[in-house]
Amino acid sequence: MDSSTVIELSARLRRARRLTVVTGAGVSAASGVPTFRGPSRLWRSFRPEDLATPEAFGRNPRLVWEWYDWRRSLIAACLPNPAHEVLARWSHRDGFTLITQNVDGLHERAGTRGVVRFHGSIWELRCAPGCRNDSWEDRTVPLAELPPRCPRCGGLARPGVVWFGESIDPRVLARSEAALDCDVMLSVGTSSVVYPAAGLVQAARARGAFVAEINPATTDVAGELDLAIAAPAEEALPRLDALVNGMV
Ligand code: BV8
């Protein structure tokens, strides 16, 4: 980890009145949650983008639920890591917004305030046919019944996540748009491949934000960055936090 880059970013973070952080699967990697493009991404030889679609659910809701039930059981056994913990502390700063693509709920479990769940939550269910029942939280692992049913109309329930081909909740988009007016936009642990989430970095930059990334690998937004720290989030964020708070 290049210390001059870390020192420069920590100085910008200390000065920032408005800080927006966008996270992806890489921030939960150290907790044991498989990433989407990493080596352990396949489930029974299915690619995530094969199962996380309304079409796949239409074809075989039981198969899709078996995948979500597997992921829920796996995530339930995971704990937030130092990257989550630093971001949870920063969420108590004024002018801080965390936008996550992760549906695992680990930011919330670390105590992060006001998380913007860009792609929903794996712990929320809603009625697939869409009866008037609102979405509900269900943390049972494994689920008692596969596929689970809507408690109000008995119809199929579906995971409260955004599938490929589905639009982002307009309220979530509005909160994310508002957070693009920031002094620093920090992208952590995302390959920046999936849109519209991957467009947030460019949009913040277009509004004058200083844009930085924490990722051991080079990503698709490399050309849009003012600064990149090629390191794991669970190492880089505690280091930055110590510098920002003058502990080193
Ligand atoms: C939509 C919830 C309107 C479900 C997810 C424009 C161009 C091209 C395509 C499109 C486009 N606009 C729309 C599309 C289509 C599509 C899309 O983007 N396709 C991609 C594949 C090209 N987008 C959509 O369908 C979106 N809806 O646009 O609606 C519309 C509809 C149709 C057509 C036009 C418009 C909805 C997308 C949301 C899908 N739902 N998740 C579930 O989880 O089950 S996406 C899911 O995949 C995640 O939420 C996340 O967003 C994405 C995975 O990305 P990452 O989180 O970044 O994870 P990844 O594994 O890729 O990378 C991990 C990174 O971490 C790596 O870079 C690695 O190096 C790094 N890393 C590893 N270890 C560490 C680390 N970093 C730090 N520390 C470490 N220790």
Side-chain angles (χ1 to χ4, degrees), residues 24-26 29 35-38 52 67-68 71 101-103 119 161-167 189-196 214-217 219 231-234:
T35 62
F36 271 68
R37 278 170 188 75
W67 180 50
Y68 279 96
R71 289 170 67 190
Q101 299 167 73
N102 301 343
V103 298
H119 292 156
V161 300
V162 180
W163 280 329
F164 289 97
E166 293 185 323
S167 305
T190 180
S191 57
S192 294
V193 166
V194 173
Y195 283 80
I214 296 174
N215 193 316
T219 71
E234 65 276 11

Side-chain angles (χ1 to χ4, degrees), residues 16-21 95 178-186 204-205 207-211:
R17 277 175 314 97
R18 302 201 57 198
L19 168 61
T20 298
V21 178
L180 296 176
D181 290 317
C182 54
D183 304 302
V184 176
M185 160 72 85
L186 183 56
R205 189 150 202 260
R207 297 184 189 198
F210 181 87
V211 176

Side-chain angles (χ1 to χ4, degrees), residues 37-52:
R37 278 170 188 75
S40 55
R41 72 196 189 106
L42 292 181
W43 176 79
R44 293 190 199 163
S45 76
F46 289 98
R47 297 172 319 143
E49 43 277 22
D50 300 335
L51 294 163

Side-chain angles (χ1 to χ4, degrees), residues 112-158:
T112 311
R113 290 196 318 179
V115 177
V116 180
R117 297 182 184 147
F118 208 73
H119 292 156
S121 168
I122 205 168
W123 303 111
E124 269 190 26
L125 278 63
R126 60 173 196 266
C127 177
C131 78
R132 280 201 314 286
N133 195 13
D134 287 340
S135 65
W136 64 98
E137 188 172 82
D138 181 335
R139 289 181 170 273
T140 46
V141 286
L143 283 160
E145 181 195 9
L146 283 183
R149 299 263 152 198
C150 169
R152 184 176 177 285
C153 73
L156 264 184
R158 59 160 285 171

